[in-house]
Amino acid sequence: MGSLHYSFLVFLAILVSSANAQNGLHLPVRKDPKTLQHYTTFQMGSNRADINTVIDLGAEHLWFACDDYTSNSYSPIPCWSSKCELAKGSGCIVECHRSDPRPGCTNNTCGSSNFNPFEEFLSGEGYYEDTLYTKDNVQVPQFIFSCASNDFLQGLASGTVGMLGLARTQISLHKQVTGKLNLADKFSLCLPSSGLGKLSIGDVSSSSKSDISSFLKSTALIINPNSTSPVHGEGDAAVEYFIDVKSIRVNGETLSVKDSYFSFDKNGNGGTKISTIQNYTALHPTIYKPFTRAFVKAASDMKIKSVAAVAPFRACFSSSSISKTSAGPAVPAIDLVLPGNTDAYWRINGANSMVEIDQKTTCLGFVEGEQRPKPATAWPTTSIVIGSHQLEENLLVFDLVSSQLHFTSSLLAHGKSCSRV
Ligand SMILES: *[C@@H]1O[C@H](CO)[C@@H](O)[C@H](O)[C@H]1NC(C)=O
Ligand SMILES: *[C@@H]1O[C@H](CO)[C@@H](O)[C@H](O)[C@H]1NC(C)=O
Ligand SMILES: *[C@@H]1O[C@H](CO)[C@@H](O)[C@H](O)[C@H]1NC(C)=O
């Protein structure tokens, strides 16, 4: 009787976890109001410790501080193993002088390069694997991650202990999850401006279901042939997500900017990428100047009053001169024009273009990007880095099977939000 009861429970547990797995893996997304970073929470290891990590579309793998991490289900990834090769491990940790092997310290462990993008710190550590869990009981066994020490967390939102990589690599979150759960390599991301957003891996249909799917537009995800990562092999392509923005329109008028800034040069400078690490969209100075000028002019035509700028922004306005809509302040529309028919553009409404500094002042929430390519040893400079303020309350679906990005523009314009997708 006892064993029958037990096997029934096991049977139920298997049913539950496979049913959940078919629905993909869904994680909550929150915003830290101080750093403006977006982070998610999952559980890891035999103690199912809660791990909060900052979401980074451009990062290659998951790393978190393991100083306080204990688990009896983890194992190190051995040097020169096939998993180490999959992870593109860099070197080998030969000797760790501790009597108690534990994550972050074991002999003969496949080496990783962890990057803290806020401080531009790099650190050589090791790769490990353990079971990743979600609150709704989806389990991903042998999930490859890397450890860091607590003093590597400078610049990260308080309460977070690492970075969650969603880049185009073999060990990014979506690649490992969809591989293990036998799902198509797709994920959707809806960053909240406040409250709860959502990161869904594998099954993105719940997000593209019903009325929201009618707002989704699509564009190709393109590859920058030159890596934009701080550590990469010679000849590696970029693992970040680029789209082919052709031009920018402000209030329907196309900015006159040389086309060359929108495409890649022979070293991978230029182009447009999507970043969850950059607070505000950064535009190359050659684009930023005519962009702000055109916006100020169009705003003035709408009787919106300019006021002194508040850094890091260059164009600010009197809040009382701007009327409100469901999609934020009523300001000139900004369109990122994409290849294809006349309908192919990403509309940026007031909720995503403007930043309220205080009750009196509202600024155009775009910043000036880097002037010129970094020295040849560093990574290339991207002309347009679409930042998280411009992504909030937009549903993005990254379909890596068909290399397409599906996007909605502001859900607020349709009376929806990331908390309800
Ligand atoms: C983002 O904004 C926050 C708050 O203003 C600031 O502390 C942080 O340094 C900014 N981060 C980046 C990467 O610019
Ligand atoms: C690692 O290797 C060194 C030297 O071979 C040895 O002294 C040490 O005990 C080993 N440590 C662990 C945790 O296995
Ligand atoms: C960029 O990629 C091209 C084509 O793969 C290559 O010829 C060039 O050397 C690369 N540039 C750098 C700086 O790596």
Side-chain angles (χ1 to χ4, degrees):
M1 189 62 199
S3 77
L4 187 68
H5 188 200
Y6 174 76
S7 50
F8 179 65
L9 278 182
V10 169
F11 174 69
L12 261 187
I14 289 169
L15 263 186
V16 167
S17 74
S18 61
N20 281 335
Q22 276 164 17
N23 292 326
L25 181 145
H26 303 279
L27 296 171
V29 180
R30 293 182 177 83
K31 178 181 178 179
D32 172 58
K34 196 151 163 259
T35 56
L36 312 180
Q37 293 164 18
H38 294 85
Y39 63 94
T40 188
T41 310
F42 49 85
Q43 290 73 43
M44 200 88 188
S46 56
N47 297 336
R48 300 206 184 191
D50 267 325
I51 309 279
N52 293 320
T53 53
V54 177
I55 295 168
D56 187 351
L57 276 173
E60 301 171 13
H61 60 267
L62 165 68
W63 62 259
F64 58 87
C66 294
D67 292 0
D68 309 312
Y69 183 75
T70 53
S71 169
N72 43 38
S73 53
Y74 90 95
S75 44
I77 306 287
C79 304
W80 324 121
S81 62
S82 58
K83 282 181 181 170
C84 185
E85 203 167 299
L86 190 75
K88 294 198 166 183
S90 40
C92 184
I93 299 174
V94 182
E95 243 178 62
C96 180
H97 296 282
R98 282 184 68 111
S99 50
D100 55 331
R102 49 179 226 113
C105 189
T106 25
N107 283 342
N108 189 37
T109 302
C110 175
S112 73
S113 299
N114 299 342
F115 185 58
N116 171 334
F118 304 111
E119 302 288 328
E120 298 198 352
F121 288 161
L122 257 178
S123 161
E125 304 282 348
Y127 279 118
Y128 298 85
E129 59 183 7
D130 206 340
T131 308
L132 184 149
Y133 300 88
T134 65
K135 278 274 189 275
D136 52 359
N137 209 29
V138 176
Q139 304 187 10
V140 188
Q142 299 178 310
F143 190 91
I144 300 174
F145 67 100
S146 176
C147 282
S149 62
N150 286 340
D151 55 18
F152 194 62
L153 302 179
Q154 283 170 49
L156 273 67
S158 123
T160 65
V161 292
M163 303 290 304
L164 180 64
L166 287 170
R168 208 190 277 273
T169 63
Q170 295 302 312
I171 57 162
S172 61
L173 175 73
H174 55 91
K175 191 75 181 181
Q176 291 198 65
V177 168
T178 57
K180 295 246 159 68
L181 303 184
N182 212 3
L183 300 164
D185 188 8
K186 299 178 184 186
F187 66 96
S188 69
L189 182 62
C190 207
L191 300 179
S193 49
S194 62
L196 215 56
K198 197 168 172 186
L199 169 60
S200 294
I201 312 288
D203 174 31
V204 293
S205 63
S206 59
S207 350
S208 48
K209 208 170 41 193
S210 67
D211 38 355
I212 287 184
S213 63
S214 62
F215 320 139
L216 283 169
K217 293 185 177 187
S218 302
T219 194
L221 287 168
I222 59 173
I223 306 266
N224 184 339
N226 294 88
S227 176
T228 48
S229 303
V231 177
H232 59 263
E234 211 184 311
D236 283 356
V239 296
E240 294 191 273
Y241 298 103
F242 287 82
I243 57 173
D244 192 13
V245 171
K246 292 289 190 196
S247 62
I248 300 177
R249 281 195 306 243
V250 175
N251 205 24
E253 291 201 31
T254 304
L255 297 182
S256 84
V257 174
K258 265 199 285 179
D259 289 348
S260 59
Y261 287 100
F262 294 103
S263 45
F264 303 126
D265 73 8
K266 64 182 196 320
N267 290 318
N269 298 297
T272 302
K273 73 180 179 188
I274 303 173
S275 166
T276 51
I277 291 310
Q278 179 87 28
N279 289 345
Y280 304 106
T281 297
L283 302 175
H284 187 281
T286 308
I287 304 175
Y288 190 70
K289 289 190 181 86
F291 171 74
T292 43
R293 223 180 294 129
F295 190 89
V296 168
K297 165 80 171 57
S300 144
D301 291 347
M302 290 174 75
K303 308 271 180 292
I304 296 173
K305 246 184 86 212
S306 284
V307 299
V310 178
F313 308 116
R314 298 278 180 76
C316 297
F317 306 91
S318 156
S319 302
S320 62
S321 69
I322 309 176
S323 47
K324 294 276 190 315
T325 72
S326 60
V331 293
I334 298 165
D335 295 330
L336 303 179
V337 181
L338 300 161
N341 60 23
T342 53
D343 197 37
Y345 60 88
W346 184 336
R347 165 72 41 106
I348 301 174
N349 294 306
N352 292 111
S353 61
M354 306 309 284
V355 176
E356 201 170 287
I357 305 291
D358 55 33
Q359 284 195 337
K360 282 194 186 146
T361 310
T362 300
C363 296
L364 175 61
F366 286 68
V367 297
E368 189 169 41
E370 288 169 275
Q371 171 68 43
R372 55 183 103 245
K374 294 187 177 182
T377 49
W379 54 92
T381 304
T382 301
S383 295
I384 303 175
V385 183
I386 302 175
S388 59
H389 184 71
Q390 277 69 38
L391 301 175
E392 285 175 356
E393 309 299 347
N394 282 230
L395 174 69
L396 302 180
V397 180
F398 294 81
D399 179 341
L400 301 171
V401 178
S402 63
S403 283
Q404 292 279 311
L405 173 74
H406 309 289
F407 58 95
T408 57
S409 292
S410 182
L411 293 171
L412 304 177
H414 305 282
K416 316 255 175 221
S417 71
C418 286
S419 60
R420 283 174 286 151
V421 292

PDB file of all heavy atoms in Angstrom, residues 2 4 42 109 133 175 236 283 342 362 404 412:
ATOM      1  N   GLY A   2       1.869   1.180   0.916  1.00  0.00           N
ATOM      2  CA  GLY A   2       2.814   2.301   1.011  1.00  0.00           C
ATOM      3  C   GLY A   2       3.485   2.560  -0.328  1.00  0.00           C
ATOM      4  O   GLY A   2       3.517   3.689  -0.809  1.00  0.00           O
ATOM      5  N   LEU A   4       2.535   1.620  -3.266  1.00  0.00           N
ATOM      6  CA  LEU A   4       1.573   2.017  -4.301  1.00  0.00           C
ATOM      7  C   LEU A   4       1.327   3.531  -4.216  1.00  0.00           C
ATOM      8  O   LEU A   4       1.344   4.259  -5.203  1.00  0.00           O
ATOM      9  CB  LEU A   4       0.261   1.252  -4.082  1.00  0.00           C
ATOM     10  CG  LEU A   4      -0.773   1.448  -5.184  1.00  0.00           C
ATOM     11  CD1 LEU A   4      -0.280   0.786  -6.466  1.00  0.00           C
ATOM     12  CD2 LEU A   4      -2.109   0.881  -4.772  1.00  0.00           C
ATOM     13  N   PHE A  42      14.688  32.656  -9.981  1.00  0.00           N
ATOM     14  CA  PHE A  42      14.445  31.221 -10.136  1.00  0.00           C
ATOM     15  C   PHE A  42      15.116  30.544  -8.954  1.00  0.00           C
ATOM     16  O   PHE A  42      15.675  31.217  -8.070  1.00  0.00           O
ATOM     17  CB  PHE A  42      15.000  30.716 -11.482  1.00  0.00           C
ATOM     18  CG  PHE A  42      16.409  31.138 -11.754  1.00  0.00           C
ATOM     19  CD1 PHE A  42      17.477  30.416 -11.264  1.00  0.00           C
ATOM     20  CD2 PHE A  42      16.667  32.303 -12.484  1.00  0.00           C
ATOM     21  CE1 PHE A  42      18.780  30.829 -11.481  1.00  0.00           C
ATOM     22  CE2 PHE A  42      17.980  32.716 -12.711  1.00  0.00           C
ATOM     23  CZ  PHE A  42      19.034  31.980 -12.202  1.00  0.00           C
ATOM     24  N   THR A 109      38.423  22.252 -13.339  1.00  0.00           N
ATOM     25  CA  THR A 109      37.113  22.754 -13.756  1.00  0.00           C
ATOM     26  C   THR A 109      37.262  23.634 -14.997  1.00  0.00           C
ATOM     27  O   THR A 109      38.181  24.455 -15.078  1.00  0.00           O
ATOM     28  CB  THR A 109      36.476  23.580 -12.614  1.00  0.00           C
ATOM     29  OG1 THR A 109      36.385  22.734 -11.471  1.00  0.00           O
ATOM     30  CG2 THR A 109      35.101  24.078 -12.988  1.00  0.00           C
ATOM     31  N   TYR A 133      15.175  25.381 -11.085  1.00  0.00           N
ATOM     32  CA  TYR A 133      13.744  25.191 -10.835  1.00  0.00           C
ATOM     33  C   TYR A 133      13.008  26.517 -10.997  1.00  0.00           C
ATOM     34  O   TYR A 133      13.588  27.573 -10.775  1.00  0.00           O
ATOM     35  CB  TYR A 133      13.501  24.752  -9.384  1.00  0.00           C
ATOM     36  CG  TYR A 133      14.157  23.469  -8.980  1.00  0.00           C
ATOM     37  CD1 TYR A 133      15.453  23.471  -8.481  1.00  0.00           C
ATOM     38  CD2 TYR A 133      13.471  22.261  -9.070  1.00  0.00           C
ATOM     39  CE1 TYR A 133      16.064  22.286  -8.081  1.00  0.00           C
ATOM     40  CE2 TYR A 133      14.073  21.067  -8.676  1.00  0.00           C
ATOM     41  CZ  TYR A 133      15.368  21.094  -8.181  1.00  0.00           C
ATOM     42  OH  TYR A 133      15.967  19.932  -7.794  1.00  0.00           O
ATOM     43  N   LYS A 175      18.567  28.654 -24.697  1.00  0.00           N
ATOM     44  CA  LYS A 175      19.136  27.539 -25.466  1.00  0.00           C
ATOM     45  C   LYS A 175      19.176  26.268 -24.608  1.00  0.00           C
ATOM     46  O   LYS A 175      18.798  25.191 -25.071  1.00  0.00           O
ATOM     47  CB  LYS A 175      20.542  27.922 -25.935  1.00  0.00           C
ATOM     48  CG  LYS A 175      21.121  26.982 -26.941  1.00  0.00           C
ATOM     49  CD  LYS A 175      20.502  27.165 -28.313  1.00  0.00           C
ATOM     50  CE  LYS A 175      21.125  26.165 -29.296  1.00  0.00           C
ATOM     51  NZ  LYS A 175      20.571  26.339 -30.632  1.00  0.00           N
ATOM     52  N   ASP A 236      34.957  35.307 -34.444  1.00  0.00           N
ATOM     53  CA  ASP A 236      33.622  35.044 -33.887  1.00  0.00           C
ATOM     54  C   ASP A 236      32.640  36.137 -34.306  1.00  0.00           C
ATOM     55  O   ASP A 236      32.989  37.316 -34.306  1.00  0.00           O
ATOM     56  CB  ASP A 236      33.666  35.054 -32.346  1.00  0.00           C
ATOM     57  CG  ASP A 236      34.249  33.780 -31.766  1.00  0.00           C
ATOM     58  OD1 ASP A 236      34.539  32.859 -32.549  1.00  0.00           O
ATOM     59  OD2 ASP A 236      34.415  33.724 -30.530  1.00  0.00           O
ATOM     60  N   LEU A 283      22.395  56.847 -29.034  1.00  0.00           N
ATOM     61  CA  LEU A 283      22.553  57.068 -30.472  1.00  0.00           C
ATOM     62  C   LEU A 283      23.938  57.645 -30.728  1.00  0.00           C
ATOM     63  O   LEU A 283      24.397  58.535 -29.995  1.00  0.00           O
ATOM     64  CB  LEU A 283      21.503  58.067 -30.976  1.00  0.00           C
ATOM     65  CG  LEU A 283      20.030  57.697 -30.755  1.00  0.00           C
ATOM     66  CD1 LEU A 283      19.135  58.849 -31.189  1.00  0.00           C
ATOM     67  CD2 LEU A 283      19.677  56.434 -31.536  1.00  0.00           C
ATOM     68  N   THR A 342       5.618  49.793 -46.069  1.00  0.00           N
ATOM     69  CA  THR A 342       5.477  51.059 -45.332  1.00  0.00           C
ATOM     70  C   THR A 342       5.041  50.838 -43.882  1.00  0.00           C
ATOM     71  O   THR A 342       5.154  51.736 -43.067  1.00  0.00           O
ATOM     72  CB  THR A 342       4.426  51.964 -46.007  1.00  0.00           C
ATOM     73  OG1 THR A 342       3.229  51.187 -46.163  1.00  0.00           O
ATOM     74  CG2 THR A 342       4.908  52.463 -47.355  1.00  0.00           C
ATOM     75  N   THR A 362      10.056  66.986 -18.019  1.00  0.00           N
ATOM     76  CA  THR A 362      10.018  65.711 -18.727  1.00  0.00           C
ATOM     77  C   THR A 362      11.052  65.783 -19.842  1.00  0.00           C
ATOM     78  O   THR A 362      11.092  66.773 -20.575  1.00  0.00           O
ATOM     79  CB  THR A 362       8.613  65.485 -19.319  1.00  0.00           C
ATOM     80  OG1 THR A 362       7.675  65.465 -18.240  1.00  0.00           O
ATOM     81  CG2 THR A 362       8.517  64.162 -20.058  1.00  0.00           C
ATOM     82  N   GLN A 404      13.600  35.758 -36.297  1.00  0.00           N
ATOM     83  CA  GLN A 404      12.712  36.912 -36.385  1.00  0.00           C
ATOM     84  C   GLN A 404      12.506  37.505 -35.002  1.00  0.00           C
ATOM     85  O   GLN A 404      12.466  36.778 -34.008  1.00  0.00           O
ATOM     86  CB  GLN A 404      11.331  36.472 -36.904  1.00  0.00           C
ATOM     87  CG  GLN A 404      11.312  36.014 -38.350  1.00  0.00           C
ATOM     88  CD  GLN A 404      11.272  37.191 -39.317  1.00  0.00           C
ATOM     89  OE1 GLN A 404      10.458  38.095 -39.163  1.00  0.00           O
ATOM     90  NE2 GLN A 404      12.164  37.181 -40.283  1.00  0.00           N
ATOM     91  N   LEU A 412       0.600  49.740 -23.646  1.00  0.00           N
ATOM     92  CA  LEU A 412      -0.260  50.706 -22.960  1.00  0.00           C
ATOM     93  C   LEU A 412      -1.215  51.380 -23.940  1.00  0.00           C
ATOM     94  O   LEU A 412      -2.346  51.723 -23.589  1.00  0.00           O
ATOM     95  CB  LEU A 412       0.593  51.775 -22.259  1.00  0.00           C
ATOM     96  CG  LEU A 412       1.646  51.278 -21.261  1.00  0.00           C
ATOM     97  CD1 LEU A 412       2.461  52.438 -20.704  1.00  0.00           C
ATOM     98  CD2 LEU A 412       0.985  50.505 -20.128  1.00  0.00           C
TER      99      LEU A 412
END
